[in-house]
């Protein structure tokens, strides 16, 4: 399938797949996340217009148009560049796994009017993308605070060592090894970010130092 554009001719689905694969490689090489107290969550929330009020809607539309190349949909590359150049949130720009996860979920959140629009984010999905981006960034921060050696996976010893901190985020853990095994869905012996996200959602994970005052 091909999406017609106004500014760059055509954009093939196969080129999108290539960009997606390249982005996954970037995600694996993302910079380690900063520790407690080093993120200004209030300032970060203020840059994400997630409200349903007219002012927030207007800001979102302006942001979307600033990221869009003119075809009415956002590719993963456009979103990534927009986080850096439009939102200007370096902390999230460096959190590629969180961007990728939020993009994957948002692009399929509504039925598209374009032939292959389900592979891209449309304006009607942009609010959901921003909300997802904020959520998965928080999970990425929690993941990195547990992944002490920065190898993009949490091993059993790291999970055990972080038990006290994790219990602040999700509540009491009765059996830390059993909990680890439950999260390690593929039985690989370590927790990957996707596995961590599924668990974090189920547990309603909430960092102790973040600002939850963001419009839902």
């Amino acid at each position: 399938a091909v999406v017609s554009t106004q500014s760059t001719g055509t954009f093939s689905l196969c080129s999108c797949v290539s960009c997606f694969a390249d982005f996954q490689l970037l995600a694996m090489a993302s910079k380690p996340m900063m520790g407690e107290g080093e993120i200004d969550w209030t300032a970060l929330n203020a840059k994400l217009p997630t409200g349903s009020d007219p002012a927030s809607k207007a800001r979102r539309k302006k942001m979307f148009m600033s990221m869009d190349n003119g075809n009415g949909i956002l590719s993963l590359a456009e979103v990534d560049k927009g986080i850096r150049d439009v939102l200007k949130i370096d902390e999230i720009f460096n959190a590629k796994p969180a961007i990728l996860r939020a993009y994957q979920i948002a692009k399929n959140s509504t039925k598209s009017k374009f032939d292959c629009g389900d592979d891209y984010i449309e304006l009607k999905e942009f609010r959901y993308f921003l909300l997802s981006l904020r959520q998965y960034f928080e999970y990425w921060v929690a993941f990195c605070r547990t992944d002490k050696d920065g190898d993009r996976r949490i091993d059993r010893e790291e999970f055990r060592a972080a038990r006290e901190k994790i219990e602040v985020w999700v509540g009491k853990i009765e059996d830390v090894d059993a909990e680890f095994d439950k999260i390690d869905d593929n039985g690989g012996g370590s927790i990957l970010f996707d596995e961590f996200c599924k668990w974090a959602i189920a547990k309603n994970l909430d960092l102790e130092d973040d600002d939850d005052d963001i419009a839902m």
Side-chain angles (χ1 to χ4, degrees):
V2 176
V3 176
S4 175
T5 69
Q6 298 175 10
S7 58
T8 58
T10 58
F11 188 88
S12 66
L13 187 56
C14 61
S15 67
C16 177
V17 171
S18 175
C19 290
F20 191 81
D22 290 343
F23 195 89
Q24 286 182 309
L25 293 175
L26 284 174
M28 293 173 64
S30 294
K31 295 179 181 179
M33 185 49 55
M34 58 190 68
E36 292 88 339
E38 296 183 23
I39 298 172
D40 188 341
W41 292 97
T42 301
L44 186 148
N45 289 349
K47 292 183 177 182
L48 300 174
T50 56
S52 56
D53 58 287
S56 294
K57 290 180 180 179
R59 283 183 63 200
R60 271 199 308 277
K61 185 174 182 179
K62 183 177 180 181
M63 282 182 180
F64 185 93
M65 293 176 67
S66 296
M67 296 181 185
D68 180 22
N69 68 5
N71 61 2
I73 52 179
L74 296 179
S75 68
L76 181 58
E78 287 173 316
V79 164
D80 185 49
K81 184 175 183 293
I83 290 171
R84 182 193 65 193
D85 299 341
V86 180
L87 292 179
K88 300 183 186 300
I89 306 177
D90 290 341
E91 298 94 335
I92 294 183
F93 178 71
N94 291 326
K96 303 301 185 191
I99 299 173
L100 181 59
R101 185 84 179 178
Y103 185 87
Q104 288 173 324
I105 290 176
K107 71 185 177 66
N108 295 318
S109 60
T110 65
K111 183 64 179 175
S112 176
K113 63 182 179 181
F114 297 97
D115 289 341
C116 61
D118 287 339
D119 293 304
Y120 306 90
I121 291 177
E122 299 175 47
L123 179 58
K124 61 183 178 180
E125 298 168 323
F126 193 53
R127 176 174 181 265
Y128 186 62
F129 168 72
L130 294 178
L131 286 168
S132 299
L133 185 64
R134 170 62 177 79
Q135 180 182 30
Y136 285 110
F137 176 65
E138 182 172 350
Y139 294 162
W140 177 244
V141 173
F143 181 86
C144 291
R145 289 179 182 175
T146 308
D147 172 28
K148 284 302 184 182
D149 63 6
D151 66 351
R152 301 297 175 265
R153 61 190 67 228
I154 299 170
D155 62 35
R156 192 177 297 273
E157 290 307 313
E158 287 173 325
F159 193 74
R160 286 172 178 165
R163 178 175 184 169
E164 183 177 344
K165 175 167 49 182
I166 292 171
E167 288 184 330
V168 174
W169 304 337
V170 303
K172 181 69 175 175
I173 297 175
E174 296 298 336
D175 186 330
V176 68
D177 285 318
E179 196 73 18
F180 180 92
D181 291 335
K182 183 169 67 175
I183 305 169
D184 179 20
D185 191 50
N186 66 4
S190 60
I191 298 170
L192 305 178
F193 183 57
D194 278 358
E195 294 172 325
F196 186 83
C197 287
K198 293 176 185 176
W199 174 77
I201 291 170
K203 286 287 192 177
N204 195 26
L205 183 149
D206 185 25
L207 290 178
E208 75 280 12
D209 61 323
D210 80 318
D211 182 355
D212 293 322
D213 185 19
I214 185 167
M216 302 295 287

